[in-house]
């Protein structure tokens, strides 16, 4: 008996990478799966309907149940159709996993408006759109007396939450927005029996991360590969299971480590009764320690790069920004 027996799950971006591994794992755990993926390239161009179909074929060959959907999450009506696909094919929808993403890695000074918008449209607007249409279905079911457990698992990234990666202004911004959306949705949708959580993979080897420093190495010949995208799937499945009590949580996943994030936390403060002057702020805040973004980047990537010095990190950043 699997942990997801009887559950119907819609997984976006499920044709490759983390989404594909989640689809395969969910099906193995007994879920009926809608595999959504338009089969686009990393930057969102092109399209291949065979990408989603291939994952469906693999699930069915293993004895599972799945159907394909090739709509884009950035398309408002497409998001509605993929929710309808789940209901039409399997009679209901219990779980949404928002995994779809595209990337346009350019320095901020070179990133164009359309390139920024495209990334945000898929990652942030797409997460909202699919969740919104699912919420409409779940509200109707709840008001009709259905008290089944429902769950949304959003996908953020270390880029945007913990790792300030240069050239990812659009991707990091969208992922930070997804984490914020998670907490709001958890508060709003709880009244309908819907739990909303977020997984934030870091250092997972996918098409989107192969050019990140430290990610291009060969995987181990045998044993556990901490960078394999399959490491994320069990965490998503746990959050999707009806027995899971968690909601409003953002869980970072890095290999075999799962960290419960606590969002923005209040740090040191300065206070006065009345308005500040610039000189007073300069004196008081000048005595408060500042978290240097270079230190954060060194902590995130230093282990993989074997470097942590500011000059070496700046050299890496310059090399990334020079790729136009």
């Amino acid at each position: 008996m699997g942990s997801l027996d009887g559950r119907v799950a819609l997984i976006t971006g499920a044709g490759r990478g983390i989404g594909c591994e989640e689809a395969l794992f969910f099906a193995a755990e007994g879920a009926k799966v809608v595999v959504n993926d338009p089969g686009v390239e990393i930057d969102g161009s092109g399209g291949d309907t065979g990408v989603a179909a291939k994952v469906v074929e693999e699930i069915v060959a293993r004895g599972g149940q799945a159907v394909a959907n090739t709509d884009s999450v950035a398309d408002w009506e497409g998001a509605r159709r993929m929710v309808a696909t789940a209901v039409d094919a399997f009679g209901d929808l219990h779980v949404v996993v928002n995994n779809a993403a595209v990337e346009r890695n350019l320095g901020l000074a070179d990133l164009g408006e359309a390139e920024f918008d495209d990334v945000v449209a898929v990652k942030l607007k797409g997460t909202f759109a699919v969740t919104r249409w699912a919420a409409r279905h779940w509200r109707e079911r709840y008001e009709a007396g259905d008290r089944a457990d429902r769950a949304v698992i959003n996908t953020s990234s270390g880029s945007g939450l913990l790792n300030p990666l240069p050239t990812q202004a659009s991707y990091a911004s969208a992922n930070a927005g997804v984490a914020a959306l998670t907490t709001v949705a958890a508060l709003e949708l709880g009244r309908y029996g819907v739990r909303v959580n977020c997984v934030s993979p870091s250092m997972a080897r996918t098409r989107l991360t192969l050019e990140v420093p430290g990610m291009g190495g060969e995987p181990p010949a045998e044993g556990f590969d901490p960078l394999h995208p399959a490491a994320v799937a069990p965490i998503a499945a746990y959050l999707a299971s009806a027995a899971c009590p968690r909601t409003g949580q953002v869980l970072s996943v890095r290999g075999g480590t799962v960290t419960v994030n606590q969002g923005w936390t209040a740090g040191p403060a300065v206070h006065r009764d009345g308005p500040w002057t610039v000189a007073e702020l300069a004196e008081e805040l000048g005595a408060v320690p500042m978290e240097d973004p270079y230190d954060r980047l060194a902590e995130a990537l230093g282990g993989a790069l074997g470097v942590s010095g500011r000059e070496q990190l700046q050299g890496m950043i310059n090399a990334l920004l020079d790729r136009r």
Side-chain angles (χ1 to χ4, degrees):
M1 182 175 180
S3 63
L4 300 177
D5 280 350
R7 308 279 270 173
V8 177
L10 162 62
I11 305 178
T12 71
R16 304 182 179 98
I18 291 172
C20 174
E21 296 296 338
E22 289 170 338
L24 296 174
F25 192 92
F26 276 44
E29 288 292 309
K32 301 171 184 176
V33 181
V34 177
V35 177
N36 162 261
D37 203 306
V40 297
E41 299 299 324
I42 293 174
D43 63 1
S45 63
D48 181 356
T49 59
V51 171
K54 184 177 179 180
V55 179
V56 170
E57 291 171 4
E58 187 170 351
I59 290 173
V60 172
R62 296 181 182 184
Q65 298 184 61
V67 295
N69 173 278
T70 57
D71 283 303
S72 168
V73 298
D75 180 342
W76 188 252
E77 283 301 305
R80 181 192 63 78
R81 284 192 297 269
M82 63 185 71
V83 171
T85 295
V87 177
D88 292 344
F90 301 121
D92 203 352
L93 175 65
H94 302 95
V95 179
V96 168
V97 182
N98 288 304
N99 189 68
V102 298
E103 277 190 9
R104 300 289 180 88
N105 289 340
L106 288 169
L108 191 148
D110 294 307
L111 189 66
E113 179 183 13
E115 293 162 331
F116 183 91
D117 288 348
D118 287 347
V119 172
V120 174
V122 173
K123 181 79 262 184
L124 181 54
K125 176 190 171 183
T127 295
F128 166 75
V130 177
T131 302
R132 188 264 192 188
W133 285 112
R136 282 292 184 102
H137 169 70
W138 291 332
R139 184 174 66 182
E140 292 175 3
R141 295 297 293 256
Y142 186 87
E143 291 175 347
D146 184 349
R147 296 297 184 267
D149 174 84
R150 318 283 182 174
V152 175
I153 298 94
N154 294 327
T155 308
S156 184
S157 172
S159 179
L161 300 185
L162 302 174
N163 309 339
L165 293 177
T167 73
Q168 292 199 344
S170 55
Y171 189 68
S173 299
N175 277 301
V178 167
L181 175 61
T182 296
T183 57
V184 173
L187 294 170
E188 289 191 11
L189 300 183
R191 67 184 296 184
Y192 307 122
V194 182
R195 296 175 297 101
V196 186
N197 292 290
C198 180
V199 293
S200 176
S202 179
M203 303 297 283
R205 189 186 300 106
T206 70
R207 292 190 306 161
L208 273 63
T209 63
L210 286 180
E211 293 189 0
V212 174
M215 295 298 297
E218 289 294 323
E222 56 184 25
F224 177 60
D225 177 4
L227 303 186
H228 197 287
V232 182
I235 292 84
Y238 161 68
L239 295 172
S241 64
C244 177
R246 288 188 172 271
T247 192
Q249 307 294 295
V250 179
L251 305 181
S252 287
V253 183
R254 189 165 186 170
T257 301
V258 180
T259 302
V260 180
N261 291 302
Q262 297 178 336
W264 287 95
T265 56
V270 297
H271 174 78
R272 65 170 287 120
D273 294 322
W276 289 91
T277 67
V278 173
E280 289 168 340
L281 278 173
E283 179 180 356
E284 294 296 322
L285 281 179
V288 176
M290 179 183 71
E291 183 183 50
D292 192 319
Y294 282 89
D295 292 336
R296 293 183 62 192
L297 182 58
E299 181 180 356
L301 297 180
L305 294 174
V307 299
S308 59
R310 177 180 286 264
E311 290 185 3
Q312 291 170 298
L313 287 173
Q314 187 63 63
M316 182 198 74
I317 293 171
N318 291 343
L320 291 171
L321 295 178
D322 287 340
R323 297 183 307 175
R324 300 180 182 178

